[in-house]
Amino acid sequence: MTQDELKALVGQAALAHVVPGELVGVGTGSTVNHFIDALAGMKDRIAGAVSSSDASTARLLAHGIRVLDAAEVTQLPVYIDGADEIDGRGHMVKGGGAALTREKIVADLAERFVCIADASKQVAVLGGFPLPVEVIAMAAPRLVRRFAALGGSATLRLKADGQPLLTDNGHPLLDVRGLQITDPLAMEAEISQWPGVVTCGIFARHRASLCLLGTPAGVQTLVF
Protein backbone atom coordinates (compact mmCIF):
# COMPACT_ATOMS: atom_id res chain seq x y z
CA MET A 1 0.00 0.00 0.00
CA THR A 2 1.14 3.57 -0.67
CA GLN A 3 1.61 6.03 2.17
CA ASP A 4 -1.54 7.85 1.06
CA GLU A 5 -3.52 4.60 1.10
CA LEU A 6 -2.30 3.90 4.63
CA LYS A 7 -3.43 7.39 5.67
CA ALA A 8 -6.86 6.74 4.17
CA LEU A 9 -7.02 3.43 6.04
CA VAL A 10 -6.47 5.00 9.47
CA GLY A 11 -8.73 7.93 8.61
CA GLN A 12 -11.55 5.49 8.02
CA ALA A 13 -10.69 3.46 11.13
CA ALA A 14 -10.89 6.59 13.29
CA LEU A 15 -14.65 6.77 12.71
CA ALA A 16 -15.04 3.98 15.28
CA HIS A 17 -13.84 6.43 17.95
CA VAL A 18 -16.30 9.21 17.07
CA VAL A 19 -19.09 9.38 19.64
CA PRO A 20 -22.54 9.54 17.96
CA GLY A 21 -24.53 12.62 18.92
CA GLU A 22 -21.47 14.43 20.26
CA LEU A 23 -18.94 16.93 18.97
CA VAL A 24 -15.60 15.69 17.67
CA GLY A 25 -12.28 17.51 17.80
CA VAL A 26 -10.58 17.52 14.41
CA GLY A 27 -6.89 18.12 13.78
CA THR A 28 -4.93 19.21 10.73
CA GLY A 29 -2.88 17.61 7.98
CA SER A 30 -2.94 15.12 5.14
CA THR A 31 -3.97 12.15 7.29
CA VAL A 32 -6.71 14.17 8.97
CA ASN A 33 -8.00 15.20 5.54
CA HIS A 34 -8.78 11.53 4.91
CA PHE A 35 -10.57 11.39 8.27
CA ILE A 36 -12.64 14.47 7.44
CA ASP A 37 -13.66 12.94 4.12
CA ALA A 38 -14.71 9.75 5.91
CA LEU A 39 -16.51 11.76 8.62
CA ALA A 40 -18.74 13.28 5.95
CA GLY A 41 -20.47 9.91 5.69
CA MET A 42 -21.75 10.20 9.27
CA LYS A 43 -22.22 13.98 9.51
CA ASP A 44 -25.92 13.57 10.35
CA ARG A 45 -25.00 11.43 13.39
CA ILE A 46 -22.72 13.95 15.13
CA ALA A 47 -23.38 17.33 16.73
CA GLY A 48 -20.56 18.92 14.74
CA ALA A 49 -16.81 19.47 14.95
CA VAL A 50 -14.27 21.73 16.61
CA SER A 51 -11.40 22.37 14.23
CA SER A 52 -7.73 23.15 14.86
CA SER A 53 -7.04 25.14 11.68
CA ASP A 54 -8.59 27.29 8.99
CA ALA A 55 -7.77 24.60 6.42
CA SER A 56 -9.60 21.86 8.32
CA THR A 57 -12.53 24.19 8.98
CA ALA A 58 -12.86 24.87 5.25
CA ARG A 59 -12.78 21.15 4.45
CA LEU A 60 -15.36 20.33 7.13
CA LEU A 61 -17.70 23.07 5.95
CA ALA A 62 -17.31 21.93 2.34
CA HIS A 63 -18.68 18.56 3.45
CA GLY A 64 -21.61 20.25 5.22
CA ILE A 65 -20.27 19.49 8.70
CA ARG A 66 -21.13 22.08 11.34
CA VAL A 67 -18.03 23.69 12.90
CA LEU A 68 -18.01 25.32 16.33
CA ASP A 69 -15.34 27.61 17.70
CA ALA A 70 -13.26 26.14 20.53
CA ALA A 71 -14.31 29.07 22.72
CA GLU A 72 -17.92 27.83 22.54
CA VAL A 73 -17.06 24.39 23.92
CA THR A 74 -16.23 23.23 27.44
CA GLN A 75 -15.40 19.59 26.70
CA LEU A 76 -14.97 17.10 23.86
CA PRO A 77 -15.13 13.30 24.15
CA VAL A 78 -12.37 12.81 21.59
CA TYR A 79 -9.80 14.69 19.52
CA ILE A 80 -8.53 13.01 16.35
CA ASP A 81 -5.30 14.23 14.79
CA GLY A 82 -2.13 13.08 13.08
CA ALA A 83 1.50 13.34 14.14
CA ASP A 84 4.86 13.99 12.55
CA GLU A 85 6.42 11.55 15.03
CA ILE A 86 5.06 9.34 17.82
CA ASP A 87 7.08 7.30 20.30
CA GLY A 88 6.27 4.17 22.28
CA ARG A 89 4.60 6.12 25.09
CA GLY A 90 2.28 8.23 22.94
CA HIS A 91 4.44 11.37 23.04
CA MET A 92 4.39 13.19 19.73
CA VAL A 93 6.08 15.89 17.68
CA LYS A 94 3.48 17.91 15.79
CA GLY A 95 3.33 21.14 13.83
CA GLY A 96 4.55 20.24 10.37
CA GLY A 97 1.31 21.75 9.14
CA ALA A 98 1.83 24.91 11.25
CA ALA A 99 -1.28 24.35 13.39
CA LEU A 100 0.36 23.21 16.63
CA THR A 101 -1.01 25.94 18.91
CA ARG A 102 -4.63 25.46 17.94
CA GLU A 103 -4.09 21.70 17.99
CA LYS A 104 -3.01 21.88 21.63
CA ILE A 105 -5.97 24.10 22.49
CA VAL A 106 -8.48 21.65 21.01
CA ALA A 107 -6.62 18.65 22.44
CA ASP A 108 -6.85 20.25 25.88
CA LEU A 109 -10.65 20.19 25.59
CA ALA A 110 -10.74 16.47 24.85
CA GLU A 111 -11.03 13.49 27.16
CA ARG A 112 -9.10 11.30 24.72
CA PHE A 113 -6.54 11.98 22.00
CA VAL A 114 -6.67 9.47 19.14
CA CYS A 115 -3.58 9.77 16.93
CA ILE A 116 -3.90 8.57 13.33
CA ALA A 117 -0.65 7.98 11.46
CA ASP A 118 1.10 5.74 8.99
CA ALA A 119 3.89 3.48 10.24
CA SER A 120 6.65 5.84 9.04
CA LYS A 121 5.74 8.21 11.91
CA GLN A 122 6.58 5.68 14.65
CA VAL A 123 9.99 6.32 16.25
CA ALA A 124 11.98 5.14 19.26
CA VAL A 125 13.12 8.66 20.19
CA LEU A 126 11.56 11.95 19.09
CA GLY A 127 13.67 14.51 17.26
CA GLY A 128 14.32 13.12 13.80
CA PHE A 129 11.57 15.37 12.49
CA PRO A 130 12.45 19.07 12.99
CA LEU A 131 10.67 20.35 16.09
CA PRO A 132 8.21 23.14 15.19
CA VAL A 133 7.96 26.04 17.65
CA GLU A 134 5.52 28.92 17.16
CA VAL A 135 7.13 32.15 18.36
CA ILE A 136 6.67 35.89 18.74
CA ALA A 137 8.68 37.45 15.91
CA MET A 138 10.80 39.79 18.06
CA ALA A 139 12.01 36.84 20.16
CA ALA A 140 13.08 34.63 17.23
CA PRO A 141 16.82 35.51 17.21
CA ARG A 142 17.10 34.98 20.96
CA LEU A 143 15.28 31.65 20.72
CA VAL A 144 17.58 30.48 17.92
CA ARG A 145 20.51 31.04 20.33
CA ARG A 146 18.74 29.20 23.15
CA PHE A 147 18.16 26.17 20.96
CA ALA A 148 21.80 26.26 19.88
CA ALA A 149 22.77 25.98 23.54
CA LEU A 150 20.73 22.74 23.66
CA GLY A 151 22.52 21.40 20.59
CA GLY A 152 19.74 22.25 18.17
CA SER A 153 19.81 24.25 14.94
CA ALA A 154 16.71 26.47 14.67
CA THR A 155 15.70 28.10 11.40
CA LEU A 156 12.76 30.27 10.45
CA ARG A 157 10.23 28.39 8.31
CA LEU A 158 9.83 30.15 4.97
CA LYS A 159 7.26 30.07 2.19
CA ALA A 160 8.17 29.37 -1.43
CA ASP A 161 8.64 33.11 -2.02
CA GLY A 162 11.23 33.32 0.76
CA GLN A 163 8.98 35.19 3.18
CA PRO A 164 8.36 33.82 6.69
CA LEU A 165 5.47 31.38 6.89
CA LEU A 166 2.90 32.62 9.41
CA THR A 167 0.50 30.43 11.38
CA ASP A 168 -3.26 30.98 11.46
CA ASN A 169 -2.48 33.06 14.56
CA GLY A 170 -0.15 35.36 12.59
CA HIS A 171 3.11 34.17 14.15
CA PRO A 172 6.31 32.78 12.58
CA LEU A 173 7.63 29.27 13.19
CA LEU A 174 11.06 27.97 14.04
CA ASP A 175 11.99 24.44 12.95
CA VAL A 176 14.64 22.93 15.24
CA ARG A 177 16.90 20.17 13.93
CA GLY A 178 19.41 18.04 15.79
CA LEU A 179 17.53 17.46 19.06
CA GLN A 180 17.31 14.08 20.76
CA ILE A 181 14.11 14.37 22.81
CA THR A 182 14.66 11.62 25.37
CA ASP A 183 12.49 13.26 28.04
CA PRO A 184 9.62 14.85 26.09
CA LEU A 185 7.67 16.05 29.12
CA ALA A 186 10.65 17.87 30.65
CA MET A 187 11.74 19.42 27.35
CA GLU A 188 8.20 20.56 26.55
CA ALA A 189 7.93 22.20 29.97
CA GLU A 190 11.33 23.90 29.62
CA ILE A 191 10.84 25.30 26.12
CA SER A 192 7.28 26.43 26.87
CA GLN A 193 8.59 28.73 29.62
CA TRP A 194 11.00 30.61 27.39
CA PRO A 195 9.83 34.19 26.74
CA GLY A 196 8.58 34.52 23.19
CA VAL A 197 7.52 30.90 22.75
CA VAL A 198 3.83 30.62 21.89
CA THR A 199 3.74 26.83 21.64
CA CYS A 200 6.29 24.06 21.43
CA GLY A 201 5.52 21.16 19.06
CA ILE A 202 6.21 18.48 21.67
CA PHE A 203 2.91 16.89 22.69
CA ALA A 204 3.85 15.14 25.94
CA ARG A 205 1.40 16.68 28.38
CA HIS A 206 -1.23 16.18 25.67
CA ARG A 207 0.05 12.80 24.53
CA ALA A 208 -2.05 10.30 22.61
CA SER A 209 -4.41 7.98 24.47
CA LEU A 210 -4.11 5.56 21.58
CA CYS A 211 -2.70 5.48 18.07
CA LEU A 212 -4.23 3.96 14.97
CA LEU A 213 -1.13 3.07 12.99
CA GLY A 214 -1.44 2.26 9.30
CA THR A 215 0.77 -0.67 8.33
CA PRO A 216 0.92 -2.88 5.21
CA ALA A 217 -0.77 -5.58 7.31
CA GLY A 218 -3.64 -3.26 8.28
CA VAL A 219 -4.44 -0.87 11.14
CA GLN A 220 -2.51 -1.54 14.34
CA THR A 221 -3.99 -0.11 17.55
CA LEU A 222 -1.44 1.10 20.12
CA VAL A 223 -2.82 1.94 23.58
CA PHE A 224 -0.77 4.15 25.90
Side-chain angles (χ1 to χ4, degrees):
M1 299 178 73
T2 66
Q3 188 179 36
D4 196 58
E5 288 171 333
L6 292 175
K7 291 178 179 182
L9 196 66
V10 294
Q12 183 69 39
L15 294 181
H17 297 275
V18 175
V19 181
E22 298 284 349
L23 293 168
V24 57
V26 177
T28 300
S30 57
T31 307
V32 172
N33 284 342
H34 285 290
F35 168 65
I36 293 172
D37 295 344
L39 186 65
M42 62 177 296
K43 64 183 178 183
D44 295 329
R45 287 179 280 149
I46 60 172
V50 176
S51 166
S52 67
S53 70
D54 292 345
S56 287
T57 294
R59 197 177 190 97
L60 287 160
L61 292 174
H63 280 300
I65 299 172
R66 177 181 177 227
V67 179
L68 282 77
D69 190 274
E72 302 176 74
V73 178
T74 57
Q75 192 174 30
L76 294 167
V78 66
Y79 176 61
I80 296 173
D81 199 0
D84 297 303
E85 289 184 328
I86 183 166
D87 70 11
R89 294 172 290 170
H91 303 136
M92 297 165 288
V93 165
K94 293 174 49 55
L100 61 162
T101 299
R102 296 191 185 189
E103 287 171 347
K104 274 193 182 177
I105 291 169
V106 182
D108 195 54
L109 292 168
E111 295 176 22
R112 298 170 70 236
F113 189 134
V114 174
C115 176
I116 52 176
D118 64 87
S120 69
K121 304 302 183 358
Q122 189 178 31
V123 299
V125 178
L126 301 177
F129 188 90
L131 175 66
V133 184
E134 184 168 350
V135 303
I136 301 298
M138 67 178 288
R142 168 63 175 159
L143 293 169
V144 167
R145 295 192 294 272
R146 294 201 72 152
F147 279 114
L150 292 183
S153 174
T155 56
L156 199 63
R157 190 181 301 184
L158 304 177
K159 298 184 294 184
D161 62 3
Q163 295 301 306
L165 183 147
L166 300 181
T167 69
D168 289 348
N169 309 311
H171 300 131
L173 282 165
L174 294 176
D175 289 314
V176 189
R177 293 165 175 81
L179 297 177
Q180 286 284 300
I181 307 173
T182 55
D183 190 342
L185 193 60
M187 185 169 283
E188 179 185 19
E190 169 67 19
I191 294 171
S192 297
Q193 293 182 72
W194 293 352
V197 170
V198 177
T199 308
C200 162
I202 301 172
F203 280 59
R205 183 174 178 272
H206 295 93
R207 68 189 181 101
S209 308
L210 64 88
C211 178
L212 300 176
L213 198 69
T215 75
V219 177
Q220 181 182 359
T221 302
L222 309 176
V223 180
F224 306 110

